[in-house]
């Protein structure tokens, strides 16, 4: 068993160290993480400059790029052997609902999934790393369980969100769907010492669709949320309407 571990908070993040420790004993581990915090970089790849790979004193390799860069470089040239599993995290803060579209943590796992490798992203609900050891035990348990009896032979992509609780490993687990958020808060405008106007991206909107069955609902009710994700963004239900629309236009 070979496991590739990445994250988006950077190679010095406590969540990465916790996930590495959680995976010890499960197989051969390779850690490739961003040099800097790369939260919110989604699935971006760095194409406008070369990337450099460095090795920290503890053997962790880090790259001056995005989380997707890290997994992409690892799988396409850095590693001598293809991993059997890609795990990402443990992120400082939730990645639920619309957040998954922006999340570097989810993107790192998704990059492995795009290469046909099973992948799991792990996040804590609240920032601050409270009860990180408990979250790591949950991650270990989930990894062991999917390795022992995954429900499908095909590669999977899971998004796991863990409440910041000392008893997290004893909390119920729910298979969930992604909720939805309201639109983000307005940008924050500031003026630099040079008189230039600057803008900070506003906070994420509150949960809009957070009913039973969603990741928001599960974690709000002290459950570990496990959401299977897919990459296909096609609106399959709308295909017939768009085909009819095109046909009617051609007919005229």
């Amino acid at each position: 068993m070979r496991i590739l571990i990445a994250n988006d908070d950077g190679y010095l993040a406590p969540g990465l160290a916790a996930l590495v420790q959680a995976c010890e004993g499960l197989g051969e581990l390779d850690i490739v993480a961003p040099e800097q915090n790369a939260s919110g970089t989604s699935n971006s790849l760095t194409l406008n400059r070369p990337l450099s790979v460095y090795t920290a004193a503890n053997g962790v390799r880090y790259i001056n790029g995005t989380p997707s860069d890290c997994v992409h470089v690892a799988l396409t040239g850095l590693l001598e052997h293809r991993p059997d599993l890609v795990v990402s995290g443990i992120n400082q803060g939730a990645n639920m609902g619309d957040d998954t579209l922006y999340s570097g943590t989810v993107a790192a796992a998704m990059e492995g999934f795009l290469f046909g490798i099973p992948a799991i992203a792990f996040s804590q609900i609240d920032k601050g790393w409270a009860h990180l050891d408990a979250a790591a035990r949950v991650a270990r348990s989930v990894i062991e369980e999917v390795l022992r009896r995954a429900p499908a032979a095909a590669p999977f992509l899971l998004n796991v969100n863990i409440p910041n609780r000392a008893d997290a490993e004893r909390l119920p687990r729910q298979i969930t769907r992604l909720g939805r958020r309201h639109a983000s808060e307005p940008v924050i405008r500031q003026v630099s010492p040079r008189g230039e106007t600057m803008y900070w991206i506003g906070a994420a909107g509150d949960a809009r669709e957070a009913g039973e069955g969603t990741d928001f609902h599960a974690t709000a009710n002290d459950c570990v949320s496990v959401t299977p994700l897919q990459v296909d963004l096609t609106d399959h239900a709308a295909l017939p309407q768009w085909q009819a629309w095109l046909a009617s236009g051609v007919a005229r």
Side-chain angles (χ1 to χ4, degrees), residues 197-211:
T197 302
M198 307 180 300
Y199 298 89
W200 292 89
I201 296 295
D206 293 330
R208 171 166 59 89
E209 182 186 338

Side-chain angles (χ1 to χ4, degrees), residues 1-5 22-29 83-87 117-120 122 138-156 158 173:
M1 174 61 61
R2 296 180 179 275
I3 302 175
L4 172 61
I5 305 174
C23 291
E24 288 179 351
L26 295 176
E28 297 292 327
L29 306 182
D84 302 293
L85 178 70
V86 175
V87 294
I117 301 171
I120 312 173
F122 294 99
V138 172
R140 170 78 178 219
S141 174
V142 171
I143 293 169
E144 288 180 327
E145 191 65 15
V146 297
L147 291 179
R148 186 175 69 85
R149 55 178 195 97
F156 54 80
L158 297 180
R173 297 173 190 175

Side-chain angles (χ1 to χ4, degrees), residues 67-154:
S68 293
D69 286 334
C70 294
V71 176
H72 192 94
V73 170
L75 298 180
T76 60
L78 184 60
L79 301 183
E80 294 182 2
H81 303 282
R82 177 184 172 91
D84 302 293
L85 178 70
V86 175
V87 294
S88 177
I90 298 170
N91 190 64
Q92 181 179 205
N95 281 305
M96 301 187 295
D98 303 337
D99 303 343
T100 57
L101 294 173
Y102 304 102
S103 167
T105 303
V106 174
M110 188 178 293
E111 192 69 16
F113 177 74
L114 290 172
F115 278 86
I117 301 171
I120 312 173
F122 294 99
S123 303
Q124 282 192 295
I125 299 303
D126 299 315
K127 296 182 181 296
W129 308 116
H131 306 299
L132 181 57
D133 55 338
R137 290 193 291 271
V138 172
R140 170 78 178 219
S141 174
V142 171
I143 293 169
E144 288 180 327
E145 191 65 15
V146 297
L147 291 179
R148 186 175 69 85
R149 55 178 195 97

Side-chain angles (χ1 to χ4, degrees), residues 145-181:
E145 191 65 15
V146 297
L147 291 179
R148 186 175 69 85
R149 55 178 195 97
F156 54 80
L157 174 60
L158 297 180
N159 183 38
V160 180
N161 283 275
I162 307 165
N164 297 56
R165 289 180 44 155
D167 62 347
E169 60 190 313
R170 296 195 295 273
L171 297 178
R173 297 173 190 175
Q174 289 187 7
I175 302 300
T176 59
R177 69 181 186 275
L178 296 179
R180 296 297 308 275
R181 286 191 185 277

